Amino acid sequence: MVDPGQCMTRKLLDLMQETGYPLVQHNGQRRFGPPPNWVGPIPQKGCEVFIGKLPREIFEDELVPIFSKIGKIYEMRLMMDFSGSNRGYAFVTYTSRADAYRAVKELNGYEIRPRRHIGVVKSVDNCRLFVGNIPKTKTKEEVLEELSKRVAGIVDVILYKNCYDKRLNRGFAFVEFTSHRAAAMARRELVPGCVKIWDQEVMVDWAEPEPDIDDEQMNNVLYVRNFQIKTTPETIQAVFEAAINTQVERVKKIYDYAFIHFYQRQHAEIAMFKLQNTEIDGSIVEIRWAKPVVREIYRIQKMNRGNAKFNNSFNLSQTLLLYKQQLEKKEYISSTKDDEGIGSPCAGESTCGSSSNGCSPRYANSAKEQYSLAPAKLDSMCKRYMWAPPVYSYQKYTDVTGTEVWIGRVELPHVGTPLLSVPRHLGPLTTRPCISMQQAHVEAAEYALQIIKTLKAEFIQQSMPPPPAPPAPLQPVYPTILSPMPSCVNIPYDYISAQQIYQQRQPVLPCSMPLWRTM
């Protein structure tokens, strides 16, 4: 009887002899590669694919022939357990990004055994961490120096300036490390609650990786961020046209970032090469390729969580799963073609706080399943018109019945054109009592939107010309014969005001209100 272990060893030795690749097992993974007599640097980022759903009895002698049909393999890493079986997944690194893209396109869903299909996707080698709750007065050099005292392997710190005051940062930074392992070790060291930097706890998590855009999906649009609020689209267009010595198609500036559309792709490449990390109006800009928009996913995000442009609550896997579910139900078909989010004229009105949604007359109900669009609408409006973002604060207290109640308030520090010719400060606007802080947040945004709507109506009324005076009534030619009839009859009745009715239905609750604080 032939021993299966000896048979597998013989197959692997034959594979090594045939290809000339070394095969070494270390730290729970078996490495096949690199190629013999390899000259030059290791393949660049984006050349690796992830293989999942592997049967446990499959090894390199079957995987290498399948994946080598796509292109030359630089290295294959098969994860192993102590029993000698694989752990169900592996990584393959090709010598070029084009081969990795072909592997994903052609081998994803490949039937490697009867009714056993493998999954092949691009591997994400994330080397960047997001660090939040940084004091806004700290500079890039100070953040780099302080973090270097605690973790190793830092390559760069990306710290964005405040778009209103360039002396301040935005309270967060992106930290780039030499490898994924170094970033993982740093994330383990900077555990929230265990480490304090500048006497305050920092938030540390994986940064969302920049997606690799394949050549077939590339467009002629650049995404440029970190502009100042005062920088106009005309200034941006002039800078980019001077860099490429020709005209750009159009410039769309939103808040502190912009999308630059070019007529040819090579013009976009030249602009990126010349203007990367260039100072424009006193601010260093960062240029990336704009990501192609999948309209169906955009509409699904908007349907479920408000405006897709400013929705960061779903990650890529959640969005794709939601996309699949909605495609099966075909619910996105009901969305109109022109509906592009909150800023669109086709977007619906938010309904939070109305009696039709089941809100209690005493406290606003926080258990509603429908997500209110008010906070996203207010944020979208401030970004669109380049107003200062809203500032929220909350207050919690216990009423006479022992229930925890939240009250929120919102301030708009800078509201200007096109609503007001002279910028002014709106607020603080205080909400009614709510059961949760989230509901108080929604109520505050609703209140601010109502005030803005009232100001808009007053602005329209003031800008309209006064109506013409009515013509004088015509005098009757002949005198009247009948005496005039009284227009109403005085009948005594009891009158109850709306305020008295409200006081009868809703008694005033005495409570002690602590000082306001921002949370």
Side-chain angles (χ1 to χ4, degrees), residues 3-25 30-32 59-62 64:
D3 186 3
Q6 294 180 357
C7 182
M8 178 55 59
T9 302
R10 188 178 301 109
K11 290 181 179 179
L12 294 178
L13 290 174
D14 293 341
L15 178 65
M16 294 170 59
Q17 186 176 3
E18 180 182 353
T19 59
Y21 282 61
L23 185 63
V24 180
Q25 184 166 341
R30 199 155 61 192
R31 292 177 178 269
F32 175 79
F59 299 97
E60 291 87 349
D61 62 306
E62 294 185 62
V64 170

Side-chain angles (χ1 to χ4, degrees), residues 260-275:
I260 319 295
H261 297 251
F262 297 84
Y263 289 105
Q264 298 182 16
R265 176 170 173 77
Q266 61 180 359
H267 294 161
E269 294 174 350
I270 295 173
M272 175 181 284
F273 176 76
K274 290 186 176 181
L275 298 178

Side-chain angles (χ1 to χ4, degrees), residues 501-513:
I501 296 175
Y502 180 77
Q503 292 177 353
Q504 292 176 4
R505 294 181 59 185
Q506 181 165 337
V508 179
L509 299 177
C511 58
S512 59
M513 306 291 285

Side-chain angles (χ1 to χ4, degrees), residues 156-332:
D156 189 21
V157 172
I158 304 173
L159 188 68
Y160 294 111
K161 297 293 184 180
N162 189 297
C163 54
Y164 293 99
D165 188 352
K166 291 301 176 181
R167 296 171 298 179
L168 305 176
N169 65 66
R170 299 187 185 180
F172 64 89
F174 295 100
V175 184
E176 194 82 23
F177 290 85
T178 55
S179 63
H180 177 79
R181 175 180 174 82
M185 295 300 294
R187 182 171 178 262
R188 185 178 301 178
E189 291 290 334
L190 301 174
V191 177
C194 300
V195 178
K196 287 188 176 182
I197 299 179
W198 296 295
D199 294 331
Q200 60 186 38
E201 297 180 2
V202 295
M203 299 182 298
V204 181
D205 202 352
W206 290 107
E208 183 177 352
E210 292 287 343
D212 292 328
I213 303 176
D214 302 306
D215 293 337
E216 296 182 3
Q217 297 178 323
M218 283 293 191
N219 48 32
N220 302 335
V221 184
L222 293 180
Y223 168 72
V224 188
R225 59 187 174 190
N226 204 32
F227 284 112
Q228 291 201 28
I229 293 297
K230 66 179 183 180
T231 304
T232 62
E234 291 76 16
T235 302
I236 300 173
Q237 182 172 351
V239 172
F240 277 80
E241 288 181 348
I244 63 176
N245 294 324
T246 185
Q247 291 184 346
V248 301
E249 183 177 355
R250 63 190 178 98
V251 175
K252 183 177 181 181
K253 184 174 184 289
I254 306 171
Y255 202 46
D256 60 344
Y257 60 93
F259 293 96
I260 319 295
H261 297 251
F262 297 84
Y263 289 105
Q264 298 182 16
R265 176 170 173 77
Q266 61 180 359
H267 294 161
E269 294 174 350
I270 295 173
M272 175 181 284
F273 176 76
K274 290 186 176 181
L275 298 178
Q276 185 69 267
N277 297 324
T278 301
E279 184 175 335
I280 300 178
D281 279 351
S283 181
I284 305 297
V285 299
E286 184 179 345
I287 305 176
R288 295 285 185 270
W289 289 106
K291 295 183 291 185
V293 177
V294 181
R295 300 301 302 174
E296 287 80 7
I297 294 181
Y298 180 90
R299 292 177 183 177
I300 290 169
Q301 282 188 329
K302 177 183 65 62
M303 255 193 327
N304 286 268
R305 281 300 180 98
N307 197 338
K309 293 180 181 178
F310 307 107
N311 174 27
N312 297 321
S313 59
F314 288 168
N315 57 27
L316 180 60
S317 60
Q318 291 173 328
T319 300
L320 292 178
L321 179 61
L322 182 64
Y323 178 36
K324 181 180 179 182
Q325 295 173 354
Q326 297 292 339
L327 282 181
E328 293 174 355
K329 298 178 183 179
K330 296 184 179 180
E331 293 184 3
Y332 66 92

Side-chain angles (χ1 to χ4, degrees), residues 439-494:
Q439 193 66 21
H441 176 72
V442 174
E443 289 279 332
E446 281 278 1
Y447 194 6
L449 290 174
Q450 293 176 6
I451 296 299
I452 292 175
K453 189 174 182 180
T454 304
L455 292 175
K456 180 180 178 182
E458 294 177 356
F459 174 76
I460 295 176
Q461 185 177 6
Q462 292 175 1
S463 60
M464 293 178 61
L474 298 176
Q475 298 295 332
V477 180
Y478 303 100
T480 57
I481 300 175
L482 299 176
S483 60
M485 297 289 294
S487 58
C488 61
V489 180
N490 294 328
I491 299 177
Y493 61 92
D494 295 332

Side-chain angles (χ1 to χ4, degrees), residues 371-445:
Y371 178 81
S372 174
L373 303 182
K377 278 189 175 183
L378 184 61
D379 185 51
S380 172
M381 184 177 297
C382 292
K383 289 182 177 181
R384 170 167 293 187
Y385 298 126
M386 299 182 185
W387 300 342
V391 178
Y392 295 92
S393 58
Y394 311 94
Q395 175 191 14
K396 183 175 72 171
Y397 67 95
T398 304
D399 64 1
V400 292
T401 63
T403 305
E404 288 189 352
V405 179
W406 292 80
I407 291 181
R409 72 173 184 180
V410 61
E411 297 184 52
L412 299 176
H414 179 91
V415 177
T417 57
L419 185 62
L420 300 173
S421 57
V422 179
R424 54 180 288 194
H425 178 279
L426 293 183
L429 307 175
T430 307
T431 68
R432 57 181 176 175
C434 303
I435 295 180
S436 66
M437 185 177 69
Q438 181 182 5
Q439 193 66 21
H441 176 72
V442 174
E443 289 279 332

